[in-house]
Amino acid sequence: MALRWGIASAGRISHDFMVGLKALPETEHKTVAVAARSLQSATEFAQTHDIPTAYGSYEELAGDPQVDVVYIGNITACHKDTVLLMLNNGKPVLCEKSLTASPQDTATLIKTAKEKNLFLMEAVWTRCFPAIIQLRKQIASGVIGEVKYVQANLGFRNPKLPGHMTDPKLKGSNILEVGVYPINFATMVFGERPESIETKGWLTDSGVDEFAAITLKYSGERVAQLTCSFNLNLPGEAYVIGTEGTLKLPQTFWCPSKLETPSGVLEFPLPTPCRPTVFVNSVGLCYEAEEVRKCISQGKLESEAMPLEHSQIVSEIAKTVIEQLGSCIYNN
């Protein structure tokens, strides 16, 4: 039987997630309901994406017995309450990054999911791309020797940012919106908490972090240097450098279709999207959806590609970085 999806939020990323789902076999994935803060928004979204049921509240979606798993695509400030609502109604959850705005809230969601014996995954789609899976295989094979250094950067110049991204009351944050990708990449490669964190950068006029240059020092003389911004265009590349060679993800490392290895460039073409997407390569959201289906079909409560422990580590690093920059979001 197909995994029956419910969609919580009718925003831009939920639109793109639907495009990703449409790239997968209908025999394996089916969207049965969508909910938004207004019934009109949900209805319009349902009509666009051929979803049979639209709800004007998340509570109605949580209570729908036809829904097997819920994708949550609202803003980070709302994630904790929405995820808890779904878990408390017996629904497995795939929740957009950042899972929450704080390590304490992330720990609460993980604890609740485990207590209720329900699947929970932070939707860090990067982890599920074929190019990333191959990168991890290359590292494990020892082809680049002992990994000593990771570098990743991501930033966009956007003078018309969505309001929630610069509003401290809504946990606006470059780190929580953009920086989680480089931080996640380093966490994936090194697989542990850093021994030290050092951050330089600046804030917006509203007191929200806008740019960060982060150095993470790990055990065994290993270092990650990460840069992120929602006010500068950065190359969007990532490097894993070992004692015997280098692996590189060129531009769009967070949703890659290529991997440069010591023996040559490997290409991983993405599926053709059924309609335009808001964000680059968003049809690749199909990979995380398929990861969820596989995990749930095998009775797993978390994904090996994006383990809950890594969500906790990334959340802890993000909070430290935000505090080192002097952001005021934890005062609101």
Side-chain angles (χ1 to χ4, degrees):
M1 293 180 62
L3 185 67
R4 298 174 299 180
W5 289 87
I7 309 297
S9 178
R12 299 185 301 168
I13 190 60
S14 294
H15 166 86
D16 283 7
F17 184 75
M18 284 302 306
V19 175
L21 280 180
K22 294 286 188 179
L24 296 167
E26 292 183 5
T27 55
E28 297 179 355
H29 296 268
K30 181 180 180 181
T31 305
V32 297
V34 59
R37 289 178 297 175
S38 76
L39 181 58
Q40 180 179 348
S41 295
T43 300
E44 291 174 355
F45 189 94
Q47 291 172 346
T48 298
H49 296 287
D50 301 318
I51 302 171
T53 303
Y55 294 119
S57 73
Y58 296 147
E59 287 78 9
E60 291 173 285
L61 180 66
D64 188 336
Q66 297 301 311
V67 172
D68 296 324
V69 60
V70 176
Y71 168 80
I72 295 175
N74 55 9
I75 64 173
T76 299
C78 298
H79 284 176
K80 178 187 176 184
D81 290 344
T82 312
V83 173
L84 285 176
L85 173 66
M86 299 304 165
L87 292 176
N88 286 329
N89 280 272
K91 304 297 188 191
V93 170
L94 172 67
C95 179
E96 263 306 328
K97 57 81 193 166
S98 293
L99 184 57
T100 76
S102 76
Q104 294 84 356
D105 288 346
T106 295
T108 295
L109 297 189
I110 293 173
K111 180 174 181 288
T112 302
K114 290 182 177 179
E115 287 176 347
K116 295 187 174 297
N117 208 38
L118 289 169
F119 177 85
L120 174 63
M121 177 180 170
E122 184 177 9
V124 183
W125 63 327
T126 308
R127 299 285 192 107
C128 302
F129 273 74
I132 293 292
I133 294 171
Q134 181 60 36
L135 176 138
R136 297 180 70 175
K137 289 180 179 178
Q138 293 265 330
I139 293 171
S141 74
V143 68
I144 62 168
E146 182 184 0
V147 175
K148 303 295 283 186
Y149 179 64
V150 166
Q151 197 277 333
N153 58 77
L154 181 58
F156 307 96
R157 172 68 176 167
N158 187 353
K160 295 183 179 180
L161 289 167
H164 72 273
M165 291 180 67
T166 56
D167 187 342
K169 293 181 180 179
L170 295 178
K171 307 303 179 188
S173 168
N174 158 51
I175 297 301
L176 295 178
E177 294 286 342
V178 178
V180 288
Y181 284 113
I183 295 171
N184 238 295
F185 187 75
T187 302
M188 179 189 72
V189 173
F190 289 133
E192 63 183 55
R193 288 172 173 80
E195 293 181 338
S196 67
I197 303 170
E198 182 178 347
T199 312
K200 302 295 181 183
W202 58 78
L203 308 176
T204 65
D205 292 340
S206 61
V208 167
D209 54 281
E210 181 178 282
F211 173 87
I214 308 160
T215 299
L216 306 177
K217 184 180 181 300
Y218 292 85
S219 63
E221 299 179 337
R222 299 174 297 163
V223 170
Q225 291 187 306
L226 316 172
T227 314
C228 56
S229 174
F230 53 38
N231 200 27
L232 290 175
N233 288 320
L234 299 176
E237 300 173 339
Y239 299 81
V240 180
I241 301 176
T243 54
E244 304 295 332
T246 297
L247 297 170
K248 176 185 176 182
L249 293 164
Q251 191 176 33
T252 69
F253 86 83
W254 67 101
C255 50
S257 59
K258 293 182 180 180
L259 173 65
E260 298 180 13
T261 77
S263 58
V265 178
L266 303 177
E267 298 196 16
F268 303 87
L270 301 178
T272 301
C274 63
R275 65 176 73 236
T277 58
V278 178
F279 303 105
V280 65
N281 288 355
S282 276
V283 69
L285 289 163
C286 65
Y287 300 125
E288 68 177 7
E290 180 59 14
E291 172 68 10
V292 172
R293 189 191 70 83
K294 289 180 179 178
C295 288
I296 290 178
S297 67
Q298 294 170 8
K300 295 180 179 179
L301 299 183
E302 62 181 291
S303 164
E304 294 177 6
M306 185 59 216
L308 294 173
E309 181 185 10
H310 284 198
S311 291
Q312 187 66 45
I313 291 172
V314 170
S315 186
E316 292 168 5
I317 295 171
K319 184 172 190 245
T320 299
V321 168
I322 290 167
E323 289 178 334
Q324 288 183 353
L325 290 170
S327 170
C328 63
I329 70 167
Y330 293 118
N331 299 326
N332 289 274

